Amino acid sequence: MAVVSALSQTDWDDLAQRARRRRLLSQSALIAFLVATTLPVLLPYFWMVAISFSAKSGGVASSLLWQAVSVLIPAVIAIALVRTFAATRRTKTWGSLVIVAVAFGLIAVLVGPRLHLENYRFLWVRDIVAELPSRQGTAGVGTQFPSVWSAFGNSLLLALSQTVIVSTVSTFAGYYLSRFSFPGRASFLQSLLVLHAFPAMTLIIPIFLIMFWTGLIDTVFGVLLVIVTLELPFSIFIMKGFFDGVPWDIEMSAMTDGASRRQAFFKVVLPQVRVGLIAIAVFSFIKGWEEYVFVRTLLIEKSNWMMSLYLFWVADDIMGVDYGIVAAVGVFYVMPSLFLYLFFQKYLTQLNIGGVKG
Amino acid sequence: MARIELDNITKAWGDVVAVEPTDLTIDDGEFVAILGPSGCGKSTTLFMLAGIYAPTGGEMKFDGHVVNEVEAKDRNVGIVFQSYALYPHMTVRENILFPLKFKDIPAGRAPEMVEETARLVQVEEFLERRPSQLSGGQQQRVALARALVKSPQLLLLDEPLSNLDATLRLSMRTEIRALQRRTGVTTILVTHDQIEATTMADRIICMSRGRVEQIGAPEDLYRRPNSLFVASFIGAPPINTLSGNATGNAVSLGDSVLALLGEARGVVTVGLRPEHLQFADQGLPGRIDGIEPMGREILYLVKTPLGDLRVLEAGSVPRRSAEQEVRLHFAPEDTLVFDGASEDRLPDVHAALAEETKKRA
């Protein structure tokens, strides 16, 4: 009886009130944490873009950066708040859009007049070093700077070739490893993982020597071979995981339906691992696009420069560091990876290693 | 349509024998069920017929032609998998069309065939959907349509109903059987569910541990099982089995004795089906230990001197209560007696209540 009467005296409104308060508190804490961790990630990119459009003759206008940041930070917080507390999907979308528009407006008003495209002149000037004021008249040995488009082309060639080779080889190898048994299969699988765990940097001198002796040094093809080799073990392993997730039944079904094993593979099995294939392709493209260490070691001739080398020499070699140009080259360098991610985001988020999801 | 013959067919994986030498003949247009517990080699047999597994030995003939080395794609066999194995990236229409892509179909005829088959299994409204947007029963129908669209000479069904709920299973059973009658296609159903086998098939092949135990009409397997395995596997609730030592014309079971009509020695097993045991005024004494209403019938668990027995009585309301003392009676011709060592049935031997047991009232 005592328990019953105690229950009947419970103040339900008070309990509900307390629960509401607790929920509000934990949600605010979560938002504060997310904002605090997001900003350090976001800021460098924001600054890079801001500097690339604003820096003049090497100097960075720090007042401009702070003005821009003073708009950005409130905007990020405001979007976080709207996303969390807006009741309907509509208000969420419209609220965020309004904030973004306001932020852009403010930035345009505050810093707009001081923005310029001067730092992007590397896109249309053939040799940016030669026409630097400080280098006028000096005819140094290392001044012949290649065009950014040649580096862009080289990087694209390397990244695309790597994508094609890695996707093709790891698809077939992954399928074979998943479906067929052969002597040494288990140790082969283990060695794939060991190879992946092995730090590639330790191989750099032997690889240099091999390249030197085989005459592949200073060729894009040589670098391609090296990075494809290093990339393959893990890709094969991931593709094997995806093929493991495709039931035997549908393959057998295709064969009783009249397909040959090859037709069954291309028409029925391959479409099931599309997500894995796209992920492998995107990752190997980006890997090739950002490759620096082997490019730096194995390529000497300027006509063979990749984007990463171009960025390095822009930052290091020429001009007592022109932050504006470095930032602009950085923005240019990041673009393809960024577009690729945005375009394939849908598939990449479905990726869970070792299986097909969704 | 085809007549299927298996002549000494064997399948082994290394040292493990999945299917021991097996002889089978399935007539043109027949509906046959291969029944057995999991791991008995029934699916292996099915996949050998489909051409997915190659037999280790023996010959497999379709209409008298040896097909051992004919590839799966050329056998013109339709198969419905337990998982249905629909192609997830294709619509229902594309799924059903798929087998026709590999055949010489007169131009423009294929879409019509897809529509016809879809109508046959009643999925014509779902043709543009993906398999993931269909219920289990609808997926099942699509799988059937895909197997039937190319007019196969042999239709193989691998546990096709096991992923459906009970009501749907019942109606699909009837539907598949009707469909088979209409198309006349030779059909082999693989199942571990005796009800599925007995209700759908003309003949049942009962398998256990890679061996064919018995082939026959459903009622043969029920009434005249060759072995203890078949007797225990067929019939629900399962048969009561009592093991004891036979001495010529009597067998001692538990604390009591049964008379034997016919002669047997050594260890024997006596089988009494629950539906063949009746409550009576006289006979085997016992005490009711449990009551399980099954809808149309009541299953009683009865402790007797012979051992614990399941007894089935018609009616939906229990007429007896727990702990009640009862008497049980059975007809000797309904009893099955098996040799203890070989587990084969002794066809001329039956069991009956001993005279002294009968007299006690």
Side-chain angles (χ1 to χ4, degrees), chain B residues 219-230:
Chain B
E219 61 272 20
D220 285 342
L221 269 68
Y222 175 79
R223 300 186 66 84
R224 289 181 290 278
N226 282 350
S227 64
L228 184 59
F229 174 81
V230 178

mmCIF file with all atom_site columns, all heavy atoms in Angstrom, chain B residues 219-230:
data_model
loop_
_atom_site.group_PDB
_atom_site.id
_atom_site.type_symbol
_atom_site.label_atom_id
_atom_site.label_alt_id
_atom_site.label_comp_id
_atom_site.label_asym_id
_atom_site.label_entity_id
_atom_site.label_seq_id
_atom_site.pdbx_PDB_ins_code
_atom_site.Cartn_x
_atom_site.Cartn_y
_atom_site.Cartn_z
_atom_site.occupancy
_atom_site.B_iso_or_equiv
_atom_site.pdbx_formal_charge
_atom_site.auth_seq_id
_atom_site.auth_comp_id
_atom_site.auth_asym_id
_atom_site.auth_atom_id
_atom_site.pdbx_PDB_model_num
ATOM 1   N N   . GLU B 1 219 ? 1.644  -42.722 -49.223 1.00 0.00 ? 219 GLU B N   1
ATOM 2   C CA  . GLU B 1 219 ? 0.987  -43.642 -48.288 1.00 0.00 ? 219 GLU B CA  1
ATOM 3   C C   . GLU B 1 219 ? 1.832  -44.891 -48.035 1.00 0.00 ? 219 GLU B C   1
ATOM 4   O O   . GLU B 1 219 ? 1.802  -45.464 -46.958 1.00 0.00 ? 219 GLU B O   1
ATOM 5   C CB  . GLU B 1 219 ? -0.419 -44.006 -48.768 1.00 0.00 ? 219 GLU B CB  1
ATOM 6   C CG  . GLU B 1 219 ? -0.515 -44.706 -50.105 1.00 0.00 ? 219 GLU B CG  1
ATOM 7   C CD  . GLU B 1 219 ? -0.604 -43.729 -51.276 1.00 0.00 ? 219 GLU B CD  1
ATOM 8   O OE1 . GLU B 1 219 ? -0.213 -42.546 -51.092 1.00 0.00 ? 219 GLU B OE1 1
ATOM 9   O OE2 . GLU B 1 219 ? -1.022 -44.150 -52.362 1.00 0.00 ? 219 GLU B OE2 1
ATOM 10  N N   . ASP B 1 220 ? 2.627  -45.300 -49.039 1.00 0.00 ? 220 ASP B N   1
ATOM 11  C CA  . ASP B 1 220 ? 3.525  -46.437 -48.832 1.00 0.00 ? 220 ASP B CA  1
ATOM 12  C C   . ASP B 1 220 ? 4.543  -46.137 -47.745 1.00 0.00 ? 220 ASP B C   1
ATOM 13  O O   . ASP B 1 220 ? 4.823  -46.973 -46.883 1.00 0.00 ? 220 ASP B O   1
ATOM 14  C CB  . ASP B 1 220 ? 4.299  -46.764 -50.114 1.00 0.00 ? 220 ASP B CB  1
ATOM 15  C CG  . ASP B 1 220 ? 3.411  -47.469 -51.123 1.00 0.00 ? 220 ASP B CG  1
ATOM 16  O OD1 . ASP B 1 220 ? 2.362  -47.986 -50.695 1.00 0.00 ? 220 ASP B OD1 1
ATOM 17  O OD2 . ASP B 1 220 ? 3.775  -47.481 -52.309 1.00 0.00 ? 220 ASP B OD2 1
ATOM 18  N N   . LEU B 1 221 ? 5.133  -44.940 -47.838 1.00 0.00 ? 221 LEU B N   1
ATOM 19  C CA  . LEU B 1 221 ? 6.164  -44.579 -46.872 1.00 0.00 ? 221 LEU B CA  1
ATOM 20  C C   . LEU B 1 221 ? 5.588  -44.495 -45.464 1.00 0.00 ? 221 LEU B C   1
ATOM 21  O O   . LEU B 1 221 ? 6.252  -44.797 -44.485 1.00 0.00 ? 221 LEU B O   1
ATOM 22  C CB  . LEU B 1 221 ? 6.809  -43.233 -47.244 1.00 0.00 ? 221 LEU B CB  1
ATOM 23  C CG  . LEU B 1 221 ? 8.045  -43.342 -48.134 1.00 0.00 ? 221 LEU B CG  1
ATOM 24  C CD1 . LEU B 1 221 ? 7.696  -43.829 -49.508 1.00 0.00 ? 221 LEU B CD1 1
ATOM 25  C CD2 . LEU B 1 221 ? 8.748  -42.003 -48.213 1.00 0.00 ? 221 LEU B CD2 1
ATOM 26  N N   . TYR B 1 222 ? 4.317  -44.103 -45.398 1.00 0.00 ? 222 TYR B N   1
ATOM 27  C CA  . TYR B 1 222 ? 3.678  -43.967 -44.089 1.00 0.00 ? 222 TYR B CA  1
ATOM 28  C C   . TYR B 1 222 ? 3.278  -45.337 -43.540 1.00 0.00 ? 222 TYR B C   1
ATOM 29  O O   . TYR B 1 222 ? 3.547  -45.661 -42.389 1.00 0.00 ? 222 TYR B O   1
ATOM 30  C CB  . TYR B 1 222 ? 2.455  -43.057 -44.234 1.00 0.00 ? 222 TYR B CB  1
ATOM 31  C CG  . TYR B 1 222 ? 1.631  -42.928 -42.976 1.00 0.00 ? 222 TYR B CG  1
ATOM 32  C CD1 . TYR B 1 222 ? 2.037  -42.092 -41.956 1.00 0.00 ? 222 TYR B CD1 1
ATOM 33  C CD2 . TYR B 1 222 ? 0.447  -43.655 -42.833 1.00 0.00 ? 222 TYR B CD2 1
ATOM 34  C CE1 . TYR B 1 222 ? 1.291  -41.981 -40.808 1.00 0.00 ? 222 TYR B CE1 1
ATOM 35  C CE2 . TYR B 1 222 ? -0.312 -43.548 -41.687 1.00 0.00 ? 222 TYR B CE2 1
ATOM 36  C CZ  . TYR B 1 222 ? 0.110  -42.713 -40.671 1.00 0.00 ? 222 TYR B CZ  1
ATOM 37  O OH  . TYR B 1 222 ? -0.632 -42.607 -39.525 1.00 0.00 ? 222 TYR B OH  1
ATOM 38  N N   . ARG B 1 223 ? 2.665  -46.160 -44.384 1.00 0.00 ? 223 ARG B N   1
ATOM 39  C CA  . ARG B 1 223 ? 2.132  -47.426 -43.898 1.00 0.00 ? 223 ARG B CA  1
ATOM 40  C C   . ARG B 1 223 ? 3.175  -48.535 -43.869 1.00 0.00 ? 223 ARG B C   1
ATOM 41  O O   . ARG B 1 223 ? 3.156  -49.381 -42.998 1.00 0.00 ? 223 ARG B O   1
ATOM 42  C CB  . ARG B 1 223 ? 0.952  -47.868 -44.771 1.00 0.00 ? 223 ARG B CB  1
ATOM 43  C CG  . ARG B 1 223 ? -0.186 -46.876 -44.783 1.00 0.00 ? 223 ARG B CG  1
ATOM 44  C CD  . ARG B 1 223 ? -1.369 -47.436 -45.536 1.00 0.00 ? 223 ARG B CD  1
ATOM 45  N NE  . ARG B 1 223 ? -1.943 -48.580 -44.836 1.00 0.00 ? 223 ARG B NE  1
ATOM 46  C CZ  . ARG B 1 223 ? -2.831 -48.461 -43.836 1.00 0.00 ? 223 ARG B CZ  1
ATOM 47  N NH1 . ARG B 1 223 ? -3.218 -47.266 -43.447 1.00 0.00 ? 223 ARG B NH1 1
ATOM 48  N NH2 . ARG B 1 223 ? -3.297 -49.520 -43.250 1.00 0.00 ? 223 ARG B NH2 1
ATOM 49  N N   . ARG B 1 224 ? 4.043  -48.549 -44.864 1.00 0.00 ? 224 ARG B N   1
ATOM 50  C CA  . ARG B 1 224 ? 5.003  -49.653 -44.953 1.00 0.00 ? 224 ARG B CA  1
ATOM 51  C C   . ARG B 1 224 ? 6.421  -49.110 -45.085 1.00 0.00 ? 224 ARG B C   1
ATOM 52  O O   . ARG B 1 224 ? 7.077  -49.298 -46.109 1.00 0.00 ? 224 ARG B O   1
ATOM 53  C CB  . ARG B 1 224 ? 4.666  -50.543 -46.157 1.00 0.00 ? 224 ARG B CB  1
ATOM 54  C CG  . ARG B 1 224 ? 3.395  -51.374 -45.964 1.00 0.00 ? 224 ARG B CG  1
ATOM 55  C CD  . ARG B 1 224 ? 3.119  -52.238 -47.154 1.00 0.00 ? 224 ARG B CD  1
ATOM 56  N NE  . ARG B 1 224 ? 2.717  -51.462 -48.317 1.00 0.00 ? 224 ARG B NE  1
ATOM 57  C CZ  . ARG B 1 224 ? 1.465  -51.021 -48.507 1.00 0.00 ? 224 ARG B CZ  1
ATOM 58  N NH1 . ARG B 1 224 ? 0.520  -51.280 -47.618 1.00 0.00 ? 224 ARG B NH1 1
ATOM 59  N NH2 . ARG B 1 224 ? 1.160  -50.313 -49.571 1.00 0.00 ? 224 ARG B NH2 1
ATOM 60  N N   . PRO B 1 225 ? 6.897  -48.400 -44.061 1.00 0.00 ? 225 PRO B N   1
ATOM 61  C CA  . PRO B 1 225 ? 8.264  -47.867 -44.143 1.00 0.00 ? 225 PRO B CA  1
ATOM 62  C C   . PRO B 1 225 ? 9.281  -49.012 -44.165 1.00 0.00 ? 225 PRO B C   1
ATOM 63  O O   . PRO B 1 225 ? 9.114  -49.994 -43.448 1.00 0.00 ? 225 PRO B O   1
ATOM 64  C CB  . PRO B 1 225 ? 8.394  -47.034 -42.867 1.00 0.00 ? 225 PRO B CB  1
ATOM 65  C CG  . PRO B 1 225 ? 7.371  -47.562 -41.938 1.00 0.00 ? 225 PRO B CG  1
ATOM 66  C CD  . PRO B 1 225 ? 6.254  -48.080 -42.778 1.00 0.00 ? 225 PRO B CD  1
ATOM 67  N N   . ASN B 1 226 ? 10.313 -48.877 -44.986 1.00 0.00 ? 226 ASN B N   1
ATOM 68  C CA  . ASN B 1 226 ? 11.345 -49.903 -45.069 1.00 0.00 ? 226 ASN B CA  1
ATOM 69  C C   . ASN B 1 226 ? 12.219 -49.935 -43.828 1.00 0.00 ? 226 ASN B C   1
ATOM 70  O O   . ASN B 1 226 ? 12.791 -50.960 -43.505 1.00 0.00 ? 226 ASN B O   1
ATOM 71  C CB  . ASN B 1 226 ? 12.271 -49.632 -46.262 1.00 0.00 ? 226 ASN B CB  1
ATOM 72  C CG  . ASN B 1 226 ? 11.630 -50.062 -47.551 1.00 0.00 ? 226 ASN B CG  1
ATOM 73  O OD1 . ASN B 1 226 ? 10.592 -50.712 -47.532 1.00 0.00 ? 226 ASN B OD1 1
ATOM 74  N ND2 . ASN B 1 226 ? 12.235 -49.691 -48.664 1.00 0.00 ? 226 ASN B ND2 1
ATOM 75  N N   . SER B 1 227 ? 12.372 -48.758 -43.213 1.00 0.00 ? 227 SER B N   1
ATOM 76  C CA  . SER B 1 227 ? 13.343 -48.691 -42.129 1.00 0.00 ? 227 SER B CA  1
ATOM 77  C C   . SER B 1 227 ? 12.820 -47.811 -41.007 1.00 0.00 ? 227 SER B C   1
ATOM 78  O O   . SER B 1 227 ? 11.868 -47.051 -41.172 1.00 0.00 ? 227 SER B O   1
ATOM 79  C CB  . SER B 1 227 ? 14.664 -48.121 -42.654 1.00 0.00 ? 227 SER B CB  1
ATOM 80  O OG  . SER B 1 227 ? 14.451 -46.791 -43.068 1.00 0.00 ? 227 SER B OG  1
ATOM 81  N N   . LEU B 1 228 ? 13.484 -47.924 -39.882 1.00 0.00 ? 228 LEU B N   1
ATOM 82  C CA  . LEU B 1 228 ? 13.133 -47.107 -38.727 1.00 0.00 ? 228 LEU B CA  1
ATOM 83  C C   . LEU B 1 228 ? 13.255 -45.634 -39.059 1.00 0.00 ? 228 LEU B C   1
ATOM 84  O O   . LEU B 1 228 ? 12.451 -44.811 -38.640 1.00 0.00 ? 228 LEU B O   1
ATOM 85  C CB  . LEU B 1 228 ? 14.070 -47.474 -37.570 1.00 0.00 ? 228 LEU B CB  1
ATOM 86  C CG  . LEU B 1 228 ? 13.796 -46.803 -36.243 1.00 0.00 ? 228 LEU B CG  1
ATOM 87  C CD1 . LEU B 1 228 ? 12.392 -47.118 -35.762 1.00 0.00 ? 228 LEU B CD1 1
ATOM 88  C CD2 . LEU B 1 228 ? 14.816 -47.247 -35.200 1.00 0.00 ? 228 LEU B CD2 1
ATOM 89  N N   . PHE B 1 229 ? 14.281 -45.296 -39.894 1.00 0.00 ? 229 PHE B N   1
ATOM 90  C CA  . PHE B 1 229 ? 14.475 -43.897 -40.249 1.00 0.00 ? 229 PHE B CA  1
ATOM 91  C C   . PHE B 1 229 ? 13.241 -43.336 -40.956 1.00 0.00 ? 229 PHE B C   1
ATOM 92  O O   . PHE B 1 229 ? 12.732 -42.278 -40.593 1.00 0.00 ? 229 PHE B O   1
ATOM 93  C CB  . PHE B 1 229 ? 15.706 -43.736 -41.137 1.00 0.00 ? 229 PHE B CB  1
ATOM 94  C CG  . PHE B 1 229 ? 15.849 -42.334 -41.651 1.00 0.00 ? 229 PHE B CG  1
ATOM 95  C CD1 . PHE B 1 229 ? 16.412 -41.360 -40.844 1.00 0.00 ? 229 PHE B CD1 1
ATOM 96  C CD2 . PHE B 1 229 ? 15.369 -41.982 -42.905 1.00 0.00 ? 229 PHE B CD2 1
ATOM 97  C CE1 . PHE B 1 229 ? 16.500 -40.055 -41.292 1.00 0.00 ? 229 PHE B CE1 1
ATOM 98  C CE2 . PHE B 1 229 ? 15.448 -40.682 -43.356 1.00 0.00 ? 229 PHE B CE2 1
ATOM 99  C CZ  . PHE B 1 229 ? 16.023 -39.723 -42.548 1.00 0.00 ? 229 PHE B CZ  1
ATOM 100 N N   . VAL B 1 230 ? 12.756 -44.045 -41.958 1.00 0.00 ? 230 VAL B N   1
ATOM 101 C CA  . VAL B 1 230 ? 11.594 -43.568 -42.710 1.00 0.00 ? 230 VAL B CA  1
ATOM 102 C C   . VAL B 1 230 ? 10.381 -43.472 -41.790 1.00 0.00 ? 230 VAL B C   1
ATOM 103 O O   . VAL B 1 230 ? 9.628  -42.495 -41.822 1.00 0.00 ? 230 VAL B O   1
ATOM 104 C CB  . VAL B 1 230 ? 11.294 -44.496 -43.911 1.00 0.00 ? 230 VAL B CB  1
ATOM 105 C CG1 . VAL B 1 230 ? 10.056 -44.027 -44.652 1.00 0.00 ? 230 VAL B CG1 1
ATOM 106 C CG2 . VAL B 1 230 ? 12.489 -44.555 -44.844 1.00 0.00 ? 230 VAL B CG2 1
#
